[in-house]
Amino acid sequence: VIFHGIPAYNYYKAQELMEQKQYMQAKDMYLQLKDYSDAQEKALEADYLRADATRQAGTLTSLKAAEDIYLSISDYKDAGELALAMRYQRADLLRKTGEYEQAISLFDELGSWGESSRQATLTHYEWAKNLMSELEYDQARVKFLALGDYRDAPLQAEESLYLPAMLHLERNEYELAQPLLSQMEDTAKSKPKLQELYYRWGDELFNQQQFDLAAEKYLLAGDYLDSSRKAASCLYEPAVMQMKAGEYEQAREKLLKIPYFEDAQKLAEESSFYMGAAAMQESRYEDAIKLFAQAPSLVTAQAAAFEASYLRGEELETAGDIINAIAFYEKATAYADAAERARSLRYELGISYANERDYIKAAEVFALLGSYQNSKEELNSARYNQGIEVIESGDYQTAINIFKDLGDYSSSKSYLARAYYSQGREAFNEGKLIDSADAFAAAGDYEDADQRRQESIYLEAKQRLDAGEKEAATLLLKEVEGYQDAEELLRASAYALAKEMQVEGNHRQAAEQFSLIKGYQDAAVLAEESYDLYYGDAYEAARAAIKGGDFKTAIEALEPLDRENPGEKYKNVQSLYQDAVYRYAMELYNDQKPYEALPYYNKILGYKDVNNRRLTRVPYRVLGTWQTEDGFVMEFRDDGTCTIDGRKYFFYAQNYLLAVGDRQDELDIKYNILNLTDKSFNLRKESPKVTYKMTKVTQP
């Protein structure tokens, strides 16, 4: 007893059990040894080896048992990882045996472990394939669609529609096959079968004498075999019979489905006409108008539509609905006295608006009437009264626009001055002094408008002085030199400012300031000195250059100068500059450099004959993009390059010749200019001979 109770002996016996693979008994003995040696770790090892032995069977039960053992000792060695491996093997075994749902559940539990996610997707795919093999197409399609682009899932999703559709088609179950084929995205595969389906369905309905439904199916079959002819035969004859029976609406509905069959379109329009005539007899004029409009090729229908519009206009006029009555009379155009009635009612409407003091609407109505009766006078009166109302409402700008348009009508000028004056006062109160000055100036001699104008400018000038904007202030003070102490302020500020500008070398601005106060001290002398300092050298250099024919040097001398306010001595500086530019541009043009001349002509637009002669010559008129009816394009640019049918060249145009080439000095491709206007450009190529008739697409 003592011997067998020795822990070492029990430890030895447990080890023997381990070697004999009796892991449970070994584990129990180790656990009884408690903290003897490494007995507790040996107990864990026993479970670890037992799990490994258990999994060897490779069944679902053995794998689950091994997983449970590994989980119970998850912190020992790699037991935790092996537990996941057992679950993975179990899921894979379930997949292979067709237990897809359970397999997916286990793979999902494993998440991103190993190949679990990929295997889950594979299981979904195999499950869908299995459903297909079991003819469970609806369920299979749902699963294939959920798989997105995985393997051939999109193709299989289409097959899950196509295969059952073919099965239904074989059984002549058209209503079941049609929605399946219609859902398919692969129309190249589904369309022929859909056409066949509709054609066969049409045949079935035709044999059942359901002609309307048969025609509908034949039409859906499109160009399949003789479906169009069959559809027409199903619809045309019944439609003709319905027309004879007076069933025009039903007949028209059929005929519109086959507009190109024999005279179906004409008969459809005739049906509309007869329906319109019936509506006329029942005084349903608006319905009649719509129906007549559906017969555009019938002259009688158009005349009948005019009559229906006229009669509807009479009804509305009697009912007092003048606005709509006018609309229908105007639709009747030349019928009876429709035009006169429309004008007369419109005139009455305008008078009623005027009597109701709705001058805006009255003006709109009379404007449409032109010279009818005294509409022009009534229009002026309405606008006049509208303007007065607008002034009272405080919308001065609108009033100004109205009274300016009215010119000398009645007291329009007086009200215009009043509107300007009120606008000036409003701007003054808002501190917009320049705006108020402009408005008071426009008011002329209305009340104290001029005094208010001067006050506005004076106060604005003082504000500019306070803000240090002396140059702007002096120009304003000059405008109101006689107002209060404006002259004194002007002299003091302008003289001091001019002196500062002289020191800073701003001689033109200094000259301008001295010129504002020429009568003050030596301002006149200093103004002339400043003008000389600013303009003198450049001016004399330009004159000398022009005299010597060096126009480019003259341009370079004068171009940097401010030529707007040159003073009396240099007042011709702008014309001197323009003349130099003009002559230099002519030199370049005469030297066959029209596109170098172009920027210079653009500097002096409006000078002499630049616009109406110089820039209307051939080299400039060809610029832009031109195109023939069949899409052949030529583009000519102001740098002397062009693109013809996608290829770039250099070009030169003059009189009746257009020369093109790969090099600027080798323009060896010749065209004759046959015609050139703002919108058309006709060319003939000499070799090989080709004529191009082009129209302008874009401006240069």
Side-chain angles (χ1 to χ4, degrees):
V1 172
I2 292 170
F3 178 81
H4 286 286
I6 295 172
Y9 178 75
N10 288 333
Y11 184 89
Y12 169 76
K13 291 298 290 181
Q15 188 63 33
E16 280 189 333
L17 290 170
M18 286 278 277
E19 291 171 358
Q20 296 167 10
K21 299 186 179 181
Q22 297 182 38
Y23 302 116
M24 283 295 292
Q25 297 91 322
K27 175 187 174 183
D28 289 341
M29 291 190 73
Y30 283 131
L31 290 174
Q32 289 173 17
L33 289 170
K34 295 183 180 179
D35 58 354
Y36 178 78
S37 187
D38 59 347
Q40 295 302 312
E41 186 175 349
K42 288 292 187 181
L44 293 171
E45 179 68 13
D47 274 338
Y48 185 83
L49 294 173
R50 179 164 64 92
D52 183 63
T54 303
R55 74 173 179 81
Q56 299 296 331
T59 64
L60 288 170
T61 304
S62 66
L63 292 170
K64 179 64 171 71
E67 179 186 345
D68 291 342
I69 297 169
Y70 283 131
L71 285 172
S72 69
I73 57 170
S74 58
D75 293 333
Y76 183 71
K77 291 185 178 180
D78 58 347
E81 189 70 12
L82 289 171
L84 295 174
M86 296 303 100
R87 190 174 302 177
Y88 180 88
Q89 290 180 30
R90 189 154 54 94
D92 195 48
L93 186 56
L94 287 166
R95 176 183 68 79
K96 291 174 179 175
T97 56
E99 299 294 334
Y100 304 112
E101 190 169 4
Q102 294 180 56
I104 290 167
S105 177
L106 289 175
F107 283 131
D108 287 345
E109 287 177 13
L110 286 163
S112 60
W113 189 86
E115 293 288 308
S116 299
S117 178
R118 190 182 67 79
Q119 288 295 95
T121 304
L122 175 62
T123 308
H124 277 292
Y125 178 81
E126 291 181 348
W127 191 0
K129 290 281 283 185
N130 186 63
L131 288 167
M132 283 274 281
S133 67
E134 294 175 354
L135 307 184
E136 296 290 343
Y137 297 111
D138 288 347
Q139 294 181 51
R141 175 171 166 75
V142 170
K143 293 190 178 300
F144 282 127
L145 290 174
L147 285 165
D149 293 332
Y150 182 76
R151 291 191 177 181
D152 64 343
L155 176 63
Q156 294 298 333
E158 290 283 273
E159 286 294 293
S160 63
L161 291 171
Y162 186 76
L163 293 175
M166 293 302 96
L167 187 61
H168 290 310
L169 192 57
E170 285 178 16
R171 300 170 181 170
N172 297 330
E173 295 169 349
Y174 307 117
E175 289 186 51
L176 298 175
Q178 183 270 334
L180 295 173
L181 290 170
S182 296
Q183 289 181 66
M184 289 182 65
E185 294 183 8
D186 186 359
T187 53
K189 186 173 184 178
S190 63
K191 184 180 176 182
K193 289 299 179 182
L194 264 175
Q195 289 181 302
E196 178 189 347
L197 177 150
Y198 285 126
Y199 186 87
R200 288 167 55 185
W201 199 350
D203 282 346
E204 182 179 278
L205 291 166
F206 184 86
N207 293 332
Q208 296 169 3
Q209 297 189 345
Q210 297 184 53
F211 300 115
D212 284 357
L213 291 174
E216 179 184 315
K217 304 307 176 190
Y218 284 134
L219 288 172
L220 288 170
D223 57 357
Y224 186 80
L225 300 179
D226 59 344
S227 56
S228 296
R229 183 187 63 77
K230 285 193 172 184
S233 65
C234 287
L235 294 170
Y236 185 81
E237 291 302 330
V240 171
M241 295 299 293
Q242 285 175 326
M243 283 187 71
K244 289 178 180 178
E247 298 172 357
Y248 299 112
E249 186 172 358
Q250 298 90 323
R252 179 177 178 276
E253 185 179 343
K254 288 183 174 64
L255 292 164
L256 287 177
K257 292 177 180 178
I258 51 171
Y260 303 111
F261 183 76
E262 295 187 4
D263 60 346
Q265 181 63 41
K266 178 175 175 292
L267 293 178
E269 290 193 19
E270 288 180 6
S271 297
S272 294
F273 177 79
Y274 291 130
M275 290 163 66
M280 282 277 283
Q281 290 178 353
E282 297 170 6
S283 300
R284 292 186 292 108
Y285 301 118
E286 291 191 37
D287 290 339
I289 292 165
K290 292 176 183 176
L291 290 163
F292 290 139
Q294 294 169 1
S297 67
L298 300 181
V299 177
T300 51
Q302 186 176 7
F306 289 157
E307 182 183 358
S309 295
Y310 184 87
L311 295 173
R312 180 56 177 153
E314 282 189 324
E315 278 187 343
L316 292 165
E317 182 181 356
T318 302
D321 188 350
I322 303 303
I323 294 175
N324 285 318
I326 292 169
F328 278 95
Y329 280 135
E330 289 180 340
K331 286 180 183 177
T333 59
Y335 184 82
D337 61 343
E340 176 59 28
R341 284 201 175 196
R343 286 194 294 269
S344 176
L345 286 180
R346 192 177 290 283
Y347 182 84
E348 290 177 21
L349 182 64
I351 295 296
S352 69
Y353 282 142
N355 291 337
E356 294 166 6
R357 298 184 179 279
D358 191 341
Y359 299 116
I360 294 175
K361 287 185 178 179
E364 289 173 354
V365 171
F366 289 123
L368 292 172
L369 284 167
S371 59
Y372 181 76
Q373 293 188 19
N374 68 331
S375 294
K376 287 186 177 180
E377 172 61 27
E378 292 292 348
L379 172 60
N380 286 337
S381 176
R383 293 284 285 162
Y384 184 80
N385 287 308
Q386 180 193 353
I388 294 171
E389 281 191 348
V390 168
I391 286 181
E392 301 299 336
S393 72
D395 186 357
Y396 305 120
Q397 188 56 53
T398 299
I400 288 167
N401 295 338
I402 291 171
F403 288 119
K404 281 176 74 174
D405 289 342
L406 286 169
D408 294 330
Y409 181 79
S410 190
S411 300
S412 293
K413 286 189 175 181
S414 176
Y415 278 112
L416 177 61
R418 176 184 165 186
Y420 273 125
Y421 184 86
S422 301
Q423 188 181 55
R425 190 172 53 193
E426 181 179 70
F428 186 88
N429 293 335
E430 293 174 358
K432 301 174 181 177
L433 297 172
I434 294 297
D435 291 343
S436 69
D438 291 341
F440 284 132
D445 58 358
Y446 185 83
E447 294 185 359
D448 61 342
D450 189 58
Q451 184 72 11
R452 298 295 298 271
R453 177 190 69 83
Q454 292 184 72
E455 180 186 8
S456 298
I457 294 173
Y458 177 79
L459 292 174
E460 177 68 18
K462 291 198 73 173
Q463 286 184 10
R464 297 289 181 94
L465 282 173
D466 293 341
E469 301 173 20
K470 295 179 182 179
E471 189 172 355
T474 56
L475 295 174
L476 291 170
L477 287 168
K478 184 65 177 178
E479 291 185 44
V480 291
E481 201 168 355
Y483 184 80
Q484 293 186 11
D485 62 341
E487 185 175 2
E488 183 181 340
L489 285 172
L490 171 62
R491 287 177 173 180
S493 56
Y495 194 86
L497 178 59
K499 284 288 191 180
E500 289 175 12
M501 289 175 168
Q502 273 190 326
V503 173
E504 294 168 359
N506 297 327
H507 299 297
R508 194 207 63 77
Q509 294 94 325
E512 187 176 75
Q513 292 298 314
F514 281 130
S515 295
L516 295 176
I517 52 170
K518 282 186 177 180
Y520 180 69
Q521 295 182 13
D522 58 347
V525 174
L526 293 174
E528 189 168 348
E529 286 180 2
S530 296
Y531 276 127
D532 285 340
L533 287 168
Y534 181 72
Y535 289 105
D537 291 344
Y539 184 79
E540 292 304 325
R543 289 183 63 186
I546 290 172
K547 190 174 181 180
D550 187 357
F551 303 113
K552 187 175 183 183
T553 297
I555 294 167
E556 291 170 350
L558 297 176
E559 197 157 46
L561 299 179
D562 182 337
R563 301 181 298 279
E564 288 188 13
N565 300 295
E568 184 63 26
K569 186 175 180 180
Y570 301 101
K571 63 183 180 182
N572 70 330
V573 68
Q574 174 64 3
S575 61
L576 201 67
Y577 169 76
Q578 290 175 313
D579 186 58
V581 172
Y582 183 80
R583 293 190 188 191
Y584 185 59
M586 285 178 61
E587 277 188 0
L588 290 170
Y589 187 90
N590 293 336
D591 197 25
Q592 296 193 344
K593 298 176 181 177
Y595 303 113
E596 291 183 35
L598 182 57
Y600 289 95
Y601 280 130
N602 286 331
K603 290 175 186 286
I604 53 170
L605 294 175
Y607 182 71
K608 290 188 176 180
D609 59 352
V610 169
N611 291 57
N612 57 17
R613 183 184 173 198
R614 302 295 172 182
L615 291 180
T616 60
R617 291 177 290 190
V618 170
Y620 304 128
R621 286 164 57 198
V622 302
L623 296 178
T625 304
W626 306 83
Q627 183 172 310
T628 64
E629 285 186 358
D630 58 2
F632 187 90
V633 175
M634 294 188 181
E635 180 187 358
F636 299 93
R637 294 176 286 274
D638 61 11
D639 61 354
T641 65
C642 65
T643 300
I644 298 177
D645 197 28
R647 184 176 171 187
K648 291 185 178 180
Y649 298 95
F650 291 94
F651 79 97
Y652 177 75
Q654 188 174 28
N655 298 329
Y656 301 103
L657 173 67
L658 173 69
V660 173
D662 292 320
R663 295 169 55 85
Q664 200 162 14
D665 56 352
E666 293 181 13
L667 305 179
D668 50 2
I669 304 172
K670 307 295 184 183
Y671 296 83
N672 285 327
I673 299 175
L674 306 177
N675 177 58
L676 177 58
T677 68
D678 291 341
K679 295 182 179 179
S680 64
F681 187 15
N682 296 344
L683 285 173
R684 184 176 65 233
K685 191 175 183 180
E686 288 304 301
S687 180
K689 286 199 173 183
V690 183
T691 299
Y692 302 95
K693 294 183 178 181
M694 302 179 291
T695 56
K696 178 70 71 73
V697 178
T698 61
Q699 296 295 331

